Amino acid sequence: DAGVIQSPRHEVTEMGQEVTLRCKPISGHDYLFWYRQTMMRGLELLIYFNNNVPIDDSGMPEDRFSAKMPNASFSTLKIQPSEPRDSAVYFCASSLRLVSETQYFGPGTRLLVL
Amino acid sequence: SQQGEEDPQALSIQEGENATMNCSYKTSINNLQWYRQNSGRGLVHLILIRSNEREKHSGRLRVTLDTSKKSSSLLITASRAADTASYFCATETRRGSNYKLTFGKGTLLTVNP
């Protein structure tokens, strides 16, 4: 298996623009997670899905952030409009059965909002 | 402070030495996991220890768990320059009926050749 795939790997955009990050989880995994990593706050869970259904979005910073999982093999995290403070590395991860079991991380998307 | 906190924040050792990192947490857990992150890369799972286990080994890694003290340690023996990375502990936390893994801020390990 190719592992968790994320695209793009790097994104530079201007404040106010819409940003869409994409993730393909490992086939057969029931759970998908979106994390954000910054130096100040470390690794934060934004939202996670179980069988394509959002379970906990309490970590989503504000309404500018939205996430979807239209099918078992694809998820998006959208920021609209983007702000400089959104600059971070965004990781997608998936796990087979349970939230607390081993999570497999993608390589991340490094986002810079100017 | 966070559910999982690693100590120290940074550790620098010479190749061949052992490296010990600690993690403290606050609430009861089902399991505790350790992850590694190389610079600019995603996290990679190293080892999982369940709440009814006290010690676990995997190659040069040894993890201990003391649920009475709510703490865990990760020992890397005979370190190599390639072990240079950040190491994170992750604990399961519960919010209502939902569970999630909460990661600490990590220990940056530098192994000097």
Side-chain angles (χ1 to χ4, degrees):
Chain A
D1 199 313
V4 175
I5 299 173
Q6 290 187 248
S7 65
R9 293 293 309 277
H10 302 274
E11 177 81 26
V12 180
T13 190
E14 292 187 346
M15 183 174 64
Q17 296 297 306
E18 177 180 293
V19 175
T20 299
L21 311 181
R22 297 172 176 80
C23 175
K24 176 178 166 49
I26 293 173
S27 177
H29 281 196
D30 290 342
Y31 285 86
L32 183 140
F33 310 85
W34 282 101
Y35 290 91
R36 176 173 68 175
Q37 187 177 39
T38 61
M39 289 294 294
M40 289 295 293
R41 301 173 69 89
L43 193 67
E44 303 173 278
L45 176 66
L46 300 177
I47 185 172
Y48 76 88
F49 296 82
N50 177 23
N51 291 323
N52 314 340
V53 176
I55 300 301
D56 186 347
D57 65 355
S58 60
M60 296 285 262
E62 46 198 278
D63 291 345
R64 298 184 296 106
F65 286 68
S66 63
K68 294 182 180 179
M69 192 165 185
N71 57 63
S73 60
F74 183 66
S75 176
T76 60
L77 177 68
K78 186 175 293 186
I79 309 172
Q80 166 65 16
S82 58
E83 297 182 2
R85 60 194 168 115
D86 302 330
S87 297
V89 182
Y90 291 82
F91 289 102
C92 176
S94 67
S95 68
L96 185 57
R97 290 185 309 270
L98 297 173
V99 171
S100 57
E101 295 296 326
T102 301
Q103 294 188 11
Y104 296 84
F105 281 74
T109 295
R110 189 172 295 273
L111 173 65
L112 177 61
V113 183
L114 301 174
Chain B
S1 58
Q2 298 190 96
Q3 161 72 344
E5 288 193 6
E6 293 89 347
D7 169 59
Q9 291 186 349
L11 179 62
S12 181
I13 60 174
Q14 294 299 121
E15 207 165 23
E17 294 180 341
N18 295 341
T20 300
M21 290 159 271
N22 303 296
C23 171
S24 59
Y25 58 91
K26 293 182 175 179
T27 62
S28 297
I29 59 172
N30 288 333
N31 66 57
L32 184 145
Q33 304 179 39
W34 285 90
Y35 287 77
R36 164 192 168 131
Q37 183 180 32
N38 287 77
S39 179
R41 310 287 286 273
L43 278 73
V44 175
H45 178 260
L46 294 176
I47 197 165
L48 181 154
I49 185 165
R50 301 196 184 279
S51 59
N52 61 354
E53 297 176 308
R54 292 295 167 259
E55 188 170 309
K56 204 162 183 180
H57 296 255
S58 176
R60 293 183 297 112
L61 305 181
R62 182 171 80 98
V63 170
T64 62
L65 179 64
D66 187 333
T67 53
S68 66
K69 294 181 179 179
K70 293 186 170 58
S71 67
S72 173
S73 67
L74 170 67
L75 168 67
I76 303 174
T77 60
S79 64
R80 306 166 181 167
D83 295 329
T84 295
S86 291
Y87 292 83
F88 298 84
C89 69
T91 56
E92 180 189 84
T93 57
R94 182 175 178 177
R95 184 172 181 267
S97 60
N98 298 329
Y99 293 84
K100 65 179 184 180
L101 276 187
T102 299
F103 289 80
K105 289 195 172 182
T107 292
L108 176 60
L109 173 65
T110 303
V111 181
N112 302 299

